[in-house]
Amino acid sequence: MSAREAFRVAMQALLANRLRSALTTLGVLIGVMSVVLLVAIGQGARSEITGAIEGLGSNLLFVLPGDGDFGGGPRRSSFVLDDVERIDRELLGGGTRVAGYTIGSEALQADGERLTATVLAVTASYPAVLSRELARGQGLTESDVVTSRRVAVLGATTAETLFPGQDPIGRTMAIGGVRYRVIGVLARVGGGGSPFGPDQDRNVLVPITAGQRLFGTDRLDAIFVRAAATQTVDEDRAVVRRALEQRLDTEEFSVISQDEIIGVVGDILQILTLVLAAIAGISLLVGGVGVSNIMLVSVSERTREIGLRKALGARTRDITGQFLLEAIVLTGLGGAIGLVLGIAGAELVAAFAPVPAEVTGWSIALALGVSVAVGLVFGVLPARRAGQLDPVAALRRD
Amino acid sequence: MSVDDGPDGTPVLLEAIDVVRTYRLGRDVEVPALRGVSFRVDHGDYVAIVGSSGSGKSTLLNLLGVLDRPTSGQVRYDGRDVRELPDAELARLRNQRIGFVFQSFHLLPRLTALDNVILPLVYRPGSKRERRQRAEAALASVGLADRMAHRPGELSGGQQQRVAIARALVTEPALVLADEPTGNLDTTTGEDIMSLLESIQAEQDTALVVITHEPDIAHRAARTIELRDGVMADGSSP
């Protein structure tokens, strides 16, 4: 039997049971759609987060508590404000290249408006080192830090929420119940708050000294160092390490470049994507079991047809091939439609939800390949059973 | 005169030599269906195989149609022992040398009369157009030129059996095996069907083997083989 003829026969058989074929296809369709959609969401999250890190500039060094083994859980920080100055002194060239912060979450209040936001207690150098621009008013100064002045610079969204339709500059607000004066508003970063990272526009900057008093700590959560150039990242890293080793054990801190952070974060998110794909793969597997089941029913229903075809000269492999092809057409069709719906779903998610979605070539190839493979694997058992039917018994059955 | 010609020079199509077929039911129960049957069918022969139910008729039909292999003894087609042929070769033999006509017609209800007749041609090389032309010619030869697009459900019993006969002869077989071809038909229609089969046998030099339990049908054949309890009864002509 020619391949074309076999395909025609398969289509005929599938169309004879339209509803059943459609429902069987649906199982595979949902599986493929979830694979494509979930992988797209995983990939989208990955590229957005790594993109956000990349946006900080490739010459940024992160000084974080702990020995860099993120599997060990969060460590209590040993950094103090003096460390920022110590590093700054050691670095050649000077200028504002070192910043530090302590981070916390506090209730904000102004004129009856309330908001819980991330409060960043920062050194005056923070906006310059992390490329945050001021939109209006003034930024934090060294003297604000030295005198622990209770002044605040608001993120764009925070400003709009607390002071809707008003100029916040010069107004007073409460942060964790303590009165602060608003002196500036940061330029909007955009990108919105993805579920995978904090919204950069939804925070408040206060002088590190004031913030530490607010949080009741004398520690810094992280220190940032901007290397003079991309080429000097490794040199500067050595300098930073030496500066901190004067005071701390090497297990108490790690200096990580932006590339390394992207690598680690990228790996974590890649695993997340694969886990999502595996979960979606389970539904594809269930769809495959459905195909197998319905093909077995089909073989049993068409026993007499199989017997007749064998009497008319069909070989075992003609019959096996025919049923295998039917299974593959079912799953291939489900795969193709599921792929289209998965891509459409990803577009929809990207357009209307704060979750980015990115359809990748490999997820498309995977979905189509897997759906055809599912047809093959789950079609083999029923198809072999059909091919091996004894024509005598098959013909006699009513 | 070829190797397989009989002693009197007529060309032998198929030969059954001491054919035994035993079915195993369960582990230790063996049921002998045929217990040593020998006869031959020549090209253009017309043989009736008769016997009561349980005499081994159906078993013999399956063996002659190479749907089954004997437990011992030989069934030889064109001089070849079917026990030594692989399944795929038996399928080819069925496709090219044998046409089946069944009591219950065995037409595929989803297909039109034409597509039913095309069915055996699907399992051999050939273009779609050629298949169609041959099937149309076969249907015309059984008097159903105007029923080609009808499905089996839209045809009478006699017409359905004619479609089945067209399907059997579209491959130009050397042997038509008819299993109770009139069993589901009334007497008049049965007569017509037998006449049709006989005219094909006579005109196309096709051997015709009819399995029946009706003496009227059996008497029409040139020879009769009577089976009784798995062996040939006296009076059968081998």
Side-chain angles (χ1 to χ4, degrees):
Chain A
M1 180 145 58
S2 71
R4 217 169 114 188
E5 191 67 35
F7 185 74
R8 208 175 59 86
V9 172
M11 285 312 291
Q12 246 169 17
L14 294 177
L15 288 176
N17 279 301
R18 281 190 185 79
L19 181 62
R20 192 164 80 184
S21 304
L23 288 174
T24 311
T25 301
L26 190 64
V28 178
L29 187 156
I30 290 171
V32 169
M33 191 178 77
S34 3
V35 169
V36 172
L37 187 58
L38 290 182
V39 168
I41 289 172
Q43 286 292 308
R46 180 165 177 250
S47 61
E48 184 180 88
I49 291 171
T50 52
I53 299 170
E54 271 165 8
L56 296 173
S58 61
N59 54 346
L60 199 62
L61 288 168
F62 299 77
V63 185
L64 301 172
D67 56 7
D69 176 12
F70 296 112
R75 304 293 179 94
R76 199 181 128 69
S77 172
S78 309
F79 306 145
V80 295
L81 194 51
D82 277 350
D83 292 326
V84 173
E85 281 153 30
R86 186 171 290 114
I87 294 168
D88 208 14
R89 272 200 305 277
E90 298 284 334
L91 280 175
L92 296 170
T96 49
R97 290 169 53 193
V98 188
Y101 76 25
T102 293
I103 196 164
S105 184
E106 292 290 346
L108 311 184
Q109 195 185 344
D111 288 349
E113 303 288 340
R114 286 165 176 281
L115 176 69
T116 300
T118 305
V119 177
L120 300 178
V122 299
T123 58
S125 54
Y126 180 85
V129 173
L130 284 126
S131 318
R132 295 297 307 272
E133 307 223 330
L134 208 61
R136 269 182 299 155
Q138 295 168 315
L140 302 172
T141 62
E142 208 57 53
S143 93
D144 292 333
V145 172
V146 172
T147 59
S148 306
R149 198 167 286 142
R150 293 202 294 271
V151 290
V153 175
L154 304 184
T157 305
T158 312
E160 278 165 20
T161 311
L162 287 180
F163 303 99
Q166 305 165 47
D167 183 6
I169 308 291
R171 305 284 297 268
T172 57
M173 61 181 288
I175 300 177
V178 181
R179 280 168 60 91
Y180 277 75
R181 188 164 52 87
V182 179
I183 57 166
V185 177
L186 290 168
R188 186 172 287 284
V189 178
S194 80
F196 308 105
D199 187 345
Q200 299 281 328
D201 295 319
R202 218 182 145 80
N203 52 24
V204 182
L205 306 189
V206 298
I208 179 80
T209 42
Q212 282 179 331
R213 193 177 303 158
L214 189 66
F215 301 146
T217 179
D218 61 346
R219 304 303 166 114
L220 264 59
D221 289 331
I223 298 170
F224 307 93
V225 179
R226 186 166 290 284
T230 310
Q231 294 84 344
T232 63
V233 165
D234 285 335
E235 259 170 65
D236 286 353
R237 188 211 303 252
V239 173
V240 171
R241 199 166 272 153
R242 263 201 311 277
L244 287 174
E245 275 167 4
Q246 293 169 15
R247 200 180 70 79
L248 300 170
D249 289 338
T250 49
E251 297 86 51
E252 286 180 294
F253 71 95
S254 45
V255 186
I256 302 162
S257 72
Q258 186 218 41
D259 278 352
E260 287 163 338
I261 294 238
I262 289 175
V264 170
V265 171
D267 285 352
I268 291 169
L269 292 168
Q270 187 70 36
I271 291 167
L272 172 84
T273 304
L274 290 177
V275 168
L276 287 176
I279 291 168
I282 291 172
S283 68
L284 193 53
L285 201 70
V286 173
V289 173
V291 170
S292 205
N293 202 3
I294 221 64
M295 290 307 296
L296 282 173
V297 171
S298 178
V299 169
S300 147
E301 276 179 0
R302 283 150 68 192
T303 301
R304 264 160 58 111
E305 175 187 335
I306 294 163
L308 175 72
R309 285 180 183 274
K310 283 196 146 186
L312 297 182
R315 290 162 300 177
T316 300
R317 62 173 198 166
D318 288 324
I319 301 292
T320 307
Q322 180 189 327
F323 279 88
L324 205 52
L325 195 66
E326 272 178 41
I328 292 172
V329 168
L330 275 179
T331 58
L333 198 69
I337 300 174
L339 178 63
V340 171
L341 291 183
I343 293 172
E347 298 280 333
L348 223 75
V349 164
F352 292 108
V355 186
E358 203 172 84
V359 177
T360 56
W362 69 263
S363 73
I364 293 175
L366 186 80
L368 283 182
V370 165
S371 59
V372 170
V374 160
L376 260 173
V377 168
F378 288 95
V380 158
L381 174 73
R384 282 176 62 95
R385 183 169 285 190
Q388 285 164 358
L389 274 180
D390 173 18
V392 173
L395 274 173
R396 198 171 300 145
R397 219 175 84 165
D398 295 309
Chain B
M1 181 168 155
S2 82
V3 193
D4 296 307
D5 286 353
D8 53 356
T10 40
V12 176
L13 170 63
L14 90 90
E15 220 171 345
I17 304 166
D18 200 20
V19 168
V20 173
R21 182 67 172 95
T22 307
Y23 292 107
R24 291 183 76 98
L25 301 175
R27 200 182 304 170
D28 296 318
V29 187
E30 292 197 341
V31 180
L34 287 177
R35 300 183 296 171
V37 173
S38 302
F39 63 92
R40 52 181 254 225
V41 177
D42 298 335
H43 282 280
D45 216 341
Y46 183 6
V47 182
I49 297 175
V50 295
S52 56
S53 144
S55 61
K57 288 191 314 257
S58 299
T59 305
L60 186 57
L61 172 94
N62 292 334
L63 291 170
L64 297 184
V66 299
L67 293 164
D68 194 10
R69 294 187 179 89
T71 311
S72 71
Q74 292 186 355
V75 173
R76 299 178 74 89
Y77 254 92
D78 306 318
R80 295 189 297 174
D81 183 355
V82 300
R83 279 221 290 182
E84 286 162 12
L85 299 177
D87 284 349
E89 194 55 38
L90 293 188
R92 220 168 77 129
L93 190 60
R94 287 196 292 273
N95 186 249
Q96 304 197 331
R97 304 289 279 162
I98 304 170
F100 288 91
V101 177
F102 303 97
Q103 176 177 0
S104 49
F105 322 137
H106 278 310
L107 299 175
L108 294 187
R110 284 183 280 111
L111 303 186
T112 62
L114 186 66
D115 282 334
N116 265 294
V117 176
I118 286 175
L119 208 53
L121 298 178
V122 161
Y123 297 106
R124 53 166 71 184
S127 75
K128 210 172 158 181
R129 220 180 100 212
E130 187 191 320
R131 282 179 198 153
R132 202 187 156 85
Q133 284 170 347
R134 288 182 68 164
E136 282 170 357
L139 274 170
S141 76
V142 299
L144 288 178
D146 56 343
R147 292 282 187 276
M148 293 195 195
H150 289 59
R151 286 173 209 280
E154 301 159 351
L155 299 171
S156 71
Q159 286 172 329
Q160 288 188 50
Q161 193 61 301
R162 281 169 188 273
V163 173
I165 291 170
R167 182 181 64 195
L169 59 91
V170 73
T171 59
E172 295 172 357
L175 169 69
V176 170
L177 272 178
D179 182 13
E180 304 276 10
T182 62
N184 282 11
L185 304 172
D186 63 63
T187 316
T188 324
T189 316
E191 294 266 325
D192 290 348
I193 291 296
M194 285 312 297
S195 306
L196 177 61
L197 286 170
E198 283 157 9
S199 68
I200 291 162
Q201 179 259 335
E203 287 161 25
Q204 302 187 1
D205 197 31
T206 305
L208 175 61
V209 172
V210 178
I211 292 183
T212 183
H213 66 278
E214 295 174 57
D216 287 353
I217 304 288
H219 286 143
R220 302 169 71 120
R223 292 190 295 136
T224 305
I225 295 168
E226 191 185 348
L227 289 179
R228 202 171 288 161
D229 297 329
V231 290
M232 284 160 69
D234 297 338
S236 298
S237 44

